[in-house]
């Protein structure tokens, strides 16, 4: 109170004195905003009251959330606009590592969505991720919001001169950021430890400035402010009873240093505004209106002083840069800076952008997501340089220094039983743009998958796959006087292929395949048609040499529990040669296709339609190579396909047609009730001279699903009116 009275006397003296001053003398006002995470919403409310009082801000600076608000204010937004911006942001999405699935490379959609934990390997040692998120979503947002000043690298030349503070992780000292790429500077200042990854700026590894200086009052005062107004949302250290979460404990640890470094900062401030936000945490993003109300209330207690300050200012309006960037523009030139291990063709292919393309900011942000979703880059920046005959898009990337990862997954289902997935992934190992991924699956059935892929972007890419898969199952068998036999099935497959992707949605692939299939039983030892001299009866033990081709489209929004999107997978295989264990092989081919469409009503009720079919062209004399239909699962290989209400591989023929309609209702977040009806024809000739509905089988299923961090958890009950069988299906974790 005493300081406030002194300030009022000073202002009154300045007011009287200013009448005798030469015309044009003005009072410069600075504004400093503290860090505080979600508590920083109070800053925007304070700015709105300052503008209502008529105060013109000449210098602005801040730390962490204060730096983000101050940076946007400096870029030309007023308080009302900042209010609208903060209310429109999806904070869970912004602070998440996840990018839209449509941005993921086609290779990642096929092979990468099965891991629970991804651990970086640094210098041969397995570590832990530096943060929950790399912050690309936040950088995208800040870049978009500051496009009107994207060519200004000196923060003193912004509509309002600006600075922010970050912490140097190597020296432990503060770095005052006054130049550079504005969105990156704001992101660096606000990179709360473990929540957002540190930022590399000019070789310095920077993180949240609040660690060393959460209220840079002295720095803003020294910019030239005659009067400094400060909004401080710091609440001190929490009591023991409030330390009940990991975020609160981490914030408390960081708060030790903040509390110590914050001593004496208030002496640089002439008007101090302290919103009462102690009951909120740094992640109380759902309390925006409550926090803003506290900021408004605290600022209005200083209204008399603020109006007195405004009267001392000759120029009443703050400088402002209008939104002068185009909504659409034509790309004249594309510049890419910072790529070393990835070619320009790779970069352009992932960005999905070309010269002479007409684009807008939504499409451009989608391009950024495309390149960020590869996981190969720590950050992706872009600038738009406006020209008379088109725009130059300048991309600046920082490659991820980590190129090797250990990935883990878990799964249980009724066919493969328990599986623990251990994966090693290495990038740009032998060539630029390449990735090597090796899955070892330990458990009831030993399996492995090896993938090597050289991604050439717009050009044809090259890949190699190797797979070993085995399982045992009881299946119907009507060739002898037994109902079921237990078969042991193993598959060893090697493929070489080339692939081209169009618009990140459509992939065309052709190649060659060597496949070894072994299928045997110990239930019976001999058949008239298949003699055996051992306790094992082999149905097949052959090598096959095949031509393969496929067309794939995947626009699903999620891998599991899809809400929208379209899926197509058409696979053609021409069996050219065989070692012919059964001495009856003739060359033939098979065509298999699957389509899926998902659409959601009212964001709760999803209809998901799937139809798939298989057709044999020529004569297939080997039952093992038939289409085998029945059971439940998403990890079936070769010619196996699910059909709810029938046992695994219960139906077998040279062709089949199956359609299923699922209704899925999300009654709680990530909790689903599901009902499915599926119908199928499994025949030698599915066309049946036009009688395509004759001898149609049906099956039904109801169940419950839960979407968890380690994958889907489902329990389903299935039955069919054509038989007396019913089945319970249970699975946990991502399918592999």
């Amino acid at each position: 109170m005493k300081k406030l009275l002194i300030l009022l006397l000073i202002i009154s003296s300045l007011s009287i004195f200013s009448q005798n001053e030469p015309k044009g003398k003005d009072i410069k006002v600075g504004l400093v905003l503290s860090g505080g995470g979600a508590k920083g919403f109070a800053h925007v409310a304070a700015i709105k009251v300052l503008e209502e009082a008529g105060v013109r801000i000449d210098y602005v600076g801040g730390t962490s959330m204060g730096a983000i608000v101050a940076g946007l204010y400096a870029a030309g937004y007023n308080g009302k606009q900042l209010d609208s911006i903060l209310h429109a942001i999806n904070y869970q999405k912004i602070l998440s590592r996840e990018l839209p699935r449509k941005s993921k490379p086609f290779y990642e959609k096929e092979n990468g969505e099965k891991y629970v934990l991804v651990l970086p390997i640094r210098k041969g040692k397995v570590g832990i991720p530096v943060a929950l998120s790399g912050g690309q979503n936040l950088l995208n947002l800040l870049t978009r919001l500051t496009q009107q000043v994207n060519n200004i690298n000196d923060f003193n030349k912004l509509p309002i001169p600006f600075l922010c503070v970050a912490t140097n992780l190597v020296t432990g000292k503060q770095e005052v950021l006054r130049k550079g790429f504005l969105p990156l500077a704001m992101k660096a200042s606000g990179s709360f430890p473990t929540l957002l990854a540190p930022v590399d700026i000019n070789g310095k590894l920077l993180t949240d400035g609040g660690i060393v200086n959460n209220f840079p009052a002295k720095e803003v005062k020294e910019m030239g402010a005659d009067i400094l107004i400060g909004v401080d949302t710091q609440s001190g250290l929490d009591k023991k009873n409030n330390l009940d979460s990991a975020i609160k404990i981490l914030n408390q640890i960081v708060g030790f240093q903040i509390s110590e470094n914050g001593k004496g900062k208030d002496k640089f401030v002439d008007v101090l505004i302290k919103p009462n936000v102690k009951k909120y945490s740094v992640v109380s993003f759902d309390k925006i209106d409550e926090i803003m109300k506290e900021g408004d209330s605290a600022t209005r207690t200083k209204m008399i002083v603020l109006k007195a300050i405004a009267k001392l200012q000759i120029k009443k309006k703050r400088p402002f840069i209008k939104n002068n960037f185009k909504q659409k523009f034509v790309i004249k030139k594309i510049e890419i800076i910072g790529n070393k291990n990835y070619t320009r063709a790779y970069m352009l292919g992932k960005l999905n952008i070309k010269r002479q393309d007409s684009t807008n900011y939504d499409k451009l942000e989608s391009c950024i997501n495309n390149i960020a979703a590869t996981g190969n880059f720590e950050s992706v920046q872009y600038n738009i340089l406006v020209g008379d005959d088109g725009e130059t898009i300048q991309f600046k990337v920082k490659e991820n220094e980590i190129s090797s990862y250990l990935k883990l997954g878990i799964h249980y289902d009724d066919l493969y039983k328990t599986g623990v997935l251990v994966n090693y992934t290495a990038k740009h190992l032998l060539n630029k743009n390449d990735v090597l991924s090796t899955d070892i699956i330990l458990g009831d059935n030993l399996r492995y998958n090896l993938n090597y892929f050289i991604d050439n972007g717009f050009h044809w890419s090259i890949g190699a796959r190797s797979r070993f898969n085995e399982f045992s199952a009881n299946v119907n068998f009507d060739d002898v006087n037994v109902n079921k036999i237990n078969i042991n099935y193993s598959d060893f497959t090697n493929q070489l292929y080339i692939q081209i992707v169009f618009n990140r949605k459509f992939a065309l692939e052709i190649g060659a395949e060597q496949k070894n299939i072994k299928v045997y039983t110990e239930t019976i030892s001999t058949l008239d048609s298949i003699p055996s001299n051992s306790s094992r009866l082999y149905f097949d033990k052959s090598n096959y040499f095949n031509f393969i081709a496929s067309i794939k489209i995947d626009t699903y929004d999620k891998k599991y529990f899809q809400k929208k999107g379209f899926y197509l997978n058409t696979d053609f295989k021409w069996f050219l040669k065989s070692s012919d264990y059964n001495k009856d092989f003739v060359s033939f081919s098979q065509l298999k296709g699957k389509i899926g469409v998902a659409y959601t009503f009212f964001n709760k009720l999803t209809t998901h339609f799937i139809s798939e079919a298989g057709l044999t062209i020529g004569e297939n004399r080997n039952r093992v190579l038939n289409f085998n239909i029945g059971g439940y699962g998403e990890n079936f290989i070769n010619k196996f396909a699910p059909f709810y209400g029938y046992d695994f591989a219960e139906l077998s023929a040279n062709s089949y047609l199956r359609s299923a309609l699922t209704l899925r209702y999300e009654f709680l977040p990530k909790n689903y009730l599901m009902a499915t009806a599926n119908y199928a024809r499994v025949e030698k000739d599915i066309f049946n001279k036009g009688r395509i509905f004759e001898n149609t089988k049906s099956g039904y299923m109801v169940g419950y699903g839960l979407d968890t961090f380690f994958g889907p958890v489902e329990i389903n009950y299935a039955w069919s009116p054509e038989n007396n069988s019913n089945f319970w299906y249970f699975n946990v974790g991502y399918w592999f």
Side-chain angles (χ1 to χ4, degrees):
M1 187 66 181
K2 183 178 179 182
K3 186 173 182 179
L4 181 58
L5 291 172
I6 293 172
L7 180 60
L8 284 169
L9 289 172
I10 292 172
I11 290 174
S12 299
S13 300
L14 286 171
S15 182
I16 296 170
F17 178 72
S18 66
Q19 297 175 11
N20 301 318
E21 283 294 299
K23 192 173 182 180
K25 178 68 177 178
D26 204 357
I27 297 297
K28 301 290 187 181
V29 177
L31 175 65
V32 57
L33 307 177
S34 74
K39 299 178 185 181
F41 292 144
H43 296 321
V44 174
I47 288 172
K48 290 172 70 176
V49 176
L50 290 175
E51 291 178 344
E52 182 184 328
V55 177
R56 185 197 73 239
I57 301 301
D58 300 288
Y59 308 99
V60 64
T63 295
S64 196
M65 187 63 165
I68 292 173
V69 174
L72 294 176
Y73 193 50
Y77 293 100
N78 59 36
K80 186 177 180 180
Q81 290 169 324
L82 290 175
D83 188 322
S84 298
I85 289 169
L86 292 187
H87 272 91
I89 294 173
N90 182 336
Y91 292 95
Q92 183 176 359
K93 175 183 175 183
I94 288 299
L95 297 176
S96 169
R97 177 184 296 273
E98 287 301 311
L99 293 164
R101 187 173 183 268
K102 66 180 182 180
S103 299
K104 292 184 178 181
F106 219 94
Y107 174 87
E108 184 68 17
K109 289 180 182 179
E110 285 193 290
N111 301 291
E113 298 177 310
K114 53 190 175 184
Y115 306 111
V116 177
L117 189 61
V118 178
L119 302 173
I121 299 176
R122 298 181 179 91
K123 298 179 180 179
K125 296 182 179 180
V126 178
I128 60 174
V130 296
L132 295 176
S133 171
Q136 186 63 50
N137 287 327
L138 176 60
L139 184 60
N140 287 351
L141 175 67
L142 296 177
T143 302
R144 183 168 186 161
L145 291 172
T146 58
Q147 275 302 304
Q148 67 271 29
V149 293
N150 74 325
N151 292 322
I152 298 177
N153 295 317
D154 184 346
F155 301 160
N156 282 323
K157 296 180 180 178
L158 292 169
I160 301 176
F162 162 78
L163 65 77
C164 64
V165 172
T167 301
N168 189 316
L169 270 177
V170 176
T171 65
K173 297 180 180 180
Q174 79 170 15
E175 298 284 345
V176 181
L177 304 177
R178 307 174 192 269
K179 294 183 179 181
F181 187 54
L182 178 61
L184 198 63
M186 291 190 286
K187 177 176 177 286
S189 183
S191 291
F192 190 80
T194 73
L195 188 61
L196 293 172
V199 176
D200 189 317
I201 297 180
N202 298 327
K204 297 177 180 178
L205 193 61
L206 306 181
T207 192
D208 196 309
I211 297 172
V212 292
N213 188 352
N214 204 38
F215 195 53
K218 178 174 180 289
E219 289 74 13
V220 177
K221 184 82 170 180
E222 290 174 348
M223 293 177 77
D226 299 306
I227 294 175
L228 183 62
I229 300 170
V231 184
D232 186 5
T233 60
Q234 300 175 93
S235 304
L237 299 174
D238 275 329
K239 302 294 184 182
K240 177 182 177 181
N241 293 340
N242 290 331
L243 299 175
D244 54 4
S245 71
I247 288 291
K248 288 183 179 180
I249 292 172
L250 179 60
N251 195 44
Q252 184 87 339
I253 294 170
V254 174
F256 297 147
Q257 186 79 2
I258 291 175
S259 180
E260 183 66 27
N261 292 334
K263 293 177 180 178
K265 299 284 186 182
D266 292 355
K267 68 182 180 182
F268 298 103
V269 178
D270 300 299
V271 181
L272 181 63
I273 299 167
K274 287 278 293 182
N276 182 16
V277 291
K278 187 173 180 63
K279 63 181 178 180
Y280 304 104
S281 75
V282 294
V283 292
S284 296
F285 295 108
D286 58 331
K287 307 294 183 182
I288 181 170
D289 291 322
E290 295 177 25
I291 295 171
M292 281 193 172
K293 185 176 180 180
E294 294 292 345
D296 179 272
S297 178
T299 310
R300 289 190 182 280
T301 63
K302 311 292 174 120
M303 184 62 86
I304 295 175
V305 177
L306 297 177
K307 287 184 175 180
I309 293 172
K311 288 181 179 179
L312 295 176
Q313 295 181 298
I314 298 172
K315 298 177 182 178
K316 298 304 180 184
K317 292 185 178 180
R318 56 174 291 205
F320 180 74
I321 292 182
K322 293 183 179 180
N323 183 344
N324 60 353
F325 51 88
K326 302 177 182 178
Q327 295 303 313
K328 288 188 177 181
F329 46 87
V330 177
I331 301 171
K332 177 183 68 175
K333 184 180 179 182
I334 301 170
E335 295 180 358
I336 301 175
I337 303 170
N339 55 310
K340 298 177 182 178
N341 294 301
Y342 300 93
T343 63
R344 179 178 173 84
Y346 172 91
M347 302 294 293
L348 292 175
K350 292 294 166 283
L351 288 166
N352 194 27
I353 193 171
K354 296 179 181 179
R355 289 177 55 193
Q356 306 306 318
D357 277 358
S358 176
T359 189
N360 56 41
Y361 286 96
D362 286 335
K363 291 180 180 178
L364 192 56
E365 189 166 305
S366 178
C367 293
I368 298 296
N369 287 339
N370 291 346
I371 197 74
T374 64
N376 298 328
F377 303 91
E378 289 183 11
S379 66
V380 185
Q381 306 171 28
Y382 70 91
N383 278 335
I384 302 170
L385 309 177
V386 180
D388 295 333
D389 58 343
E391 279 66 44
T392 296
I393 312 296
Q394 185 181 79
F395 297 98
K396 185 177 181 181
V397 300
K398 185 179 188 307
E399 291 186 2
N400 199 328
E401 294 180 359
I402 299 168
S403 59
S404 301
Y405 300 87
L406 176 68
K407 304 180 182 182
L408 304 172
I410 57 171
H411 182 76
Y412 173 86
D413 66 70
D414 297 306
L415 178 62
Y416 288 96
K417 307 303 180 184
T418 303
V420 177
L421 172 61
V422 181
N423 169 274
Y424 172 74
T425 296
K427 299 184 177 183
H428 48 84
L429 181 67
L430 304 177
N431 293 281
K432 289 185 177 183
N433 313 338
D434 75 357
V435 57
L436 171 69
S437 175
T438 304
D439 289 338
I440 303 295
I441 298 144
L442 308 173
D444 292 292
N445 292 278
L446 181 67
R447 293 172 281 160
Y448 87 81
N449 295 288
L450 186 147
N451 284 278
Y452 179 74
F453 189 63
I454 303 175
D455 191 337
N456 292 320
F458 281 132
H459 306 307
W460 284 95
S461 300
I462 304 170
R465 302 187 187 102
S466 181
R467 177 186 75 194
F468 177 77
N469 191 295
E470 67 173 2
F471 61 84
S472 61
N474 291 318
V475 299
N476 285 357
F477 196 79
D478 55 9
D479 284 357
V480 293
N481 192 27
V482 291
N483 291 325
K484 286 190 175 184
I485 62 171
N486 181 268
I487 64 162
N488 293 276
Y489 187 104
S490 70
D491 168 277
F492 177 55
T493 298
N494 299 286
Q495 296 177 342
L496 288 173
Y497 63 95
I498 57 175
Q499 181 190 88
I500 191 166
V501 176
F502 302 95
N503 199 30
R504 305 186 65 81
K505 299 176 183 178
F506 176 87
L508 172 64
E509 184 179 299
I510 58 175
E513 174 186 80
Q514 176 271 322
K515 181 183 289 288
N516 177 270
I517 295 179
K518 292 181 182 179
V519 183
Y520 67 89
T521 182
E522 295 178 342
T523 305
I524 53 178
S525 60
T526 186
L527 288 176
D528 292 338
S529 58
I530 309 176
S532 176
N533 296 322
S534 68
S535 61
R536 290 182 176 180
L537 173 64
Y538 280 92
F539 297 99
D540 198 6
K541 191 165 61 171
S542 303
N543 285 293
Y544 297 92
F545 303 91
N546 312 319
F547 169 81
I548 56 174
S550 66
I551 297 174
K552 302 173 185 177
I553 300 174
D554 187 353
T555 67
Y556 279 153
D557 63 328
K558 299 168 65 178
K559 181 77 169 181
Y560 307 101
F561 304 119
Q562 302 88 348
K563 287 197 170 185
K564 61 181 180 179
F566 175 79
Y567 178 84
L568 168 70
N569 188 350
T570 302
D571 178 70
F572 175 77
K573 185 168 295 187
W574 186 1
F575 291 82
L576 297 169
K577 296 286 185 180
S578 172
S579 59
D580 198 10
Y581 175 79
N582 293 318
K583 308 301 181 183
D584 59 358
F585 175 82
V586 293
S587 180
F588 68 98
S589 58
Q590 289 179 324
L591 181 64
K592 182 179 179 182
K594 179 179 180 180
I595 62 170
V597 181
Y599 187 80
T600 298
F601 300 89
F602 315 113
N603 202 37
K604 293 290 184 181
L605 180 62
T606 300
T607 59
H608 192 185
F609 175 76
I610 293 175
S611 186
E612 57 185 307
L615 178 68
T616 299
I617 305 168
E619 184 181 4
N620 170 30
R621 301 171 181 173
N622 187 345
R623 176 174 174 172
V624 170
L625 300 180
N626 276 357
F627 294 104
N628 297 285
I629 315 303
Y632 174 79
E634 295 191 30
N635 52 5
F636 291 156
I637 62 169
N638 295 342
K639 307 306 173 186
F640 294 94
F643 185 53
Y644 317 140
Y646 281 77
D647 206 352
F648 172 74
E650 184 173 348
L651 305 173
S652 181
N654 274 337
S655 63
Y656 80 102
L657 173 64
R658 169 187 174 261
S659 296
L661 178 64
T662 297
L663 296 179
R664 189 164 51 238
Y665 180 71
E666 188 176 12
F667 65 96
L668 289 172
K670 298 186 176 183
N671 287 261
Y672 302 89
L673 294 176
M674 303 171 293
T676 300
N678 65 171
Y679 305 91
R681 291 190 72 251
V682 185
E683 305 286 344
K684 185 175 182 180
D685 177 16
I686 58 171
F687 299 110
N688 195 26
K689 297 180 180 180
R691 300 189 299 273
I692 59 174
F693 297 107
E694 188 176 78
N695 198 26
T696 297
K697 304 290 193 297
S698 63
Y700 304 91
M701 184 171 74
V702 293
Y704 163 77
L706 176 64
D707 193 0
T708 73
F709 76 94
F710 53 83
V713 176
E714 295 178 83
I715 182 168
N716 294 285
Y717 174 75
W719 73 97
S720 173
E722 283 97 33
N723 55 43
N724 296 321
S725 300
N726 52 69
F727 306 91
W728 284 97
Y729 303 126
F730 179 65
N731 63 273
V732 177
Y734 295 117
W735 291 90
F736 51 76

